[in-house]
């Protein structure tokens, strides 16, 4: 049995969860930049469990491997506008694969410095599939556990980000020689907080009052007006609006369930709503000026929540 991340019990257990949302992850990074400065060192050393979906999975994996926010922001700043500006599904998918391989290389889930969970969806079974780094997180089949099902971090992240139909689905081969076709984890849990708490209060054995959860979203924005284009060239942009709405509904539903099922688990959610017309955007945003504004809004959101964060974590 492979155990993955070594896990010593610490109370309270600190959990960080990161929503999906494509390019809007710039907002998440703004919040985390200030959080890292507040805590004084890389975030993997302050959180015992980090969960991420889609763009949140990229950040989650990089945090788990020990990277600081400045490095992650530089990667996003350099690569996201190029990736999201691709017009064809095959070009976008190829760019995502190339980026994942470049950023993560041969890193495995055994390399994680803290426990993580990355959410994807099994296309055939229509059930969530969660890549986990530690046997302590498993709800069953502990004796056959392999961190991240034995796949590379790059493949798990790519799967979690495969927002079909804007990206092709991702096929992985597990350590048990199973071929599994996956798509974006946002279809199951764009806000992965509920799954993280389930790990903590289930196999990890924590009482709800002994955990502390910081949930960071990507913000909510006015819809972006786009011109429809020919299907032969790309997917109609009204499909982007539909996917956007689907993910936002999923996010709110998961948060309502979390509040109902784990109301006594101290939780702080940071994801502000912006109503100004100039803030209109979506998950495919590639205007670097707009993305920098999201980064700034994230930092400002932290400042507005700093006292609550201090109370939660210290």
């Amino acid at each position: 049995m492979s155990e993955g991340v070594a896990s010593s019990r610490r109370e309270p257990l600190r959990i960080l969860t990161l929503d999906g949302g494509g390019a809007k992850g710039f907002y998440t990074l703004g919040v985390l930049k200030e959080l890292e400065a507040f805590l004084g060192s890389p975030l993997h050393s302050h959180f015992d469990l980090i969960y991420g979906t889609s763009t949140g999975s990229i950040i989650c994996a990089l945090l788990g491997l020990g990277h600081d926010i400045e490095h992650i922001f530089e990667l996003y700043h350099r690569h996201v506008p190029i990736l999201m500006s691709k017009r064809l599904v095959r070009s976008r998918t190829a760019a995502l694969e190339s980026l994942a391989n470049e950023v993560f290389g041969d890193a495995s889930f055994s390399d994680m410095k803290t426990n993580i969970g990355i959410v994807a969806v099994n296309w055939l079974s229509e059930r969530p599939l969660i890549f986990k780094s530690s046997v302590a997180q498993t709800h069953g089949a502990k004796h056959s556990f392999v961190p991240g099902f034995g796949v590379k971090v790059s493949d798990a992240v790519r799967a979690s980000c495969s927002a079909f139909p804007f990206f092709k689905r991702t096929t992985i081969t597990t350590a048990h020689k199973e071929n599994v076709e996956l798509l974006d984890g946002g279809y199951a849990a764009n806000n992965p907080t509920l799954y993280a708490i389930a790990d903590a209060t289930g196999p990890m054995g924590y009482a709800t009052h002994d955990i502390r959860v910081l949930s960071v979203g990507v913000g909510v924005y006015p819809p972006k007006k786009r011109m429809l284009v020919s299907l032969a060239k790309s997917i109609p942009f009204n499909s982007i609006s539909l996917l956007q709405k689907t993910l936002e509904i999923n996010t709110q539903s998961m948060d309502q369930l979390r509040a109902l099922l784990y109301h006594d688990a101290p939780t702080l959610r940071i994801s502000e709503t912006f109503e100004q017309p100039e803030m209109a955007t979506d998950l495919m945003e590639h205007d670097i000026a707009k993305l920098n504004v999201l980064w700034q809004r994230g930092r400002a959101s932290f400042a507005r929540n700093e006292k609550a964060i201090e109370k939660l974590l210290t």
Side-chain angles (χ1 to χ4, degrees), residues 83-159:
L83 172 63
M84 292 306 185
S85 66
K86 302 289 185 184
R87 295 186 63 187
L88 299 178
V89 173
R90 64 175 180 270
S91 300
R92 215 177 288 126
T93 302
L96 176 62
E97 182 174 5
S98 177
L99 172 59
N101 290 333
E102 177 183 340
V103 170
F104 293 103
D106 292 326
S108 74
F109 280 79
S110 297
D111 297 324
M112 295 297 168
K113 301 177 184 297
T114 191
N115 299 312
I116 75 162
I118 289 177
V119 183
V121 173
N122 186 317
W123 173 257
L124 184 62
S125 71
E126 301 173 345
R127 295 170 62 88
L129 183 146
I130 304 176
F131 297 89
K132 300 181 180 183
S133 57
S134 172
V135 68
Q137 299 168 249
T138 60
H139 295 256
K142 292 182 181 292
H143 294 285
S144 62
F145 175 79
V146 179
F149 300 106
V151 309
K152 295 190 297 184
V153 174
S154 59
D155 291 334
V157 166
R158 199 158 50 87

Side-chain angles (χ1 to χ4, degrees), residues 29-39 69 298-300 302-303:
L29 288 173
V31 175
L32 297 182
K33 174 63 176 178
E34 295 301 320
L35 177 64
E36 185 180 71
F38 171 77
L39 294 173
I69 297 301
R299 297 180 69 181
F302 175 91

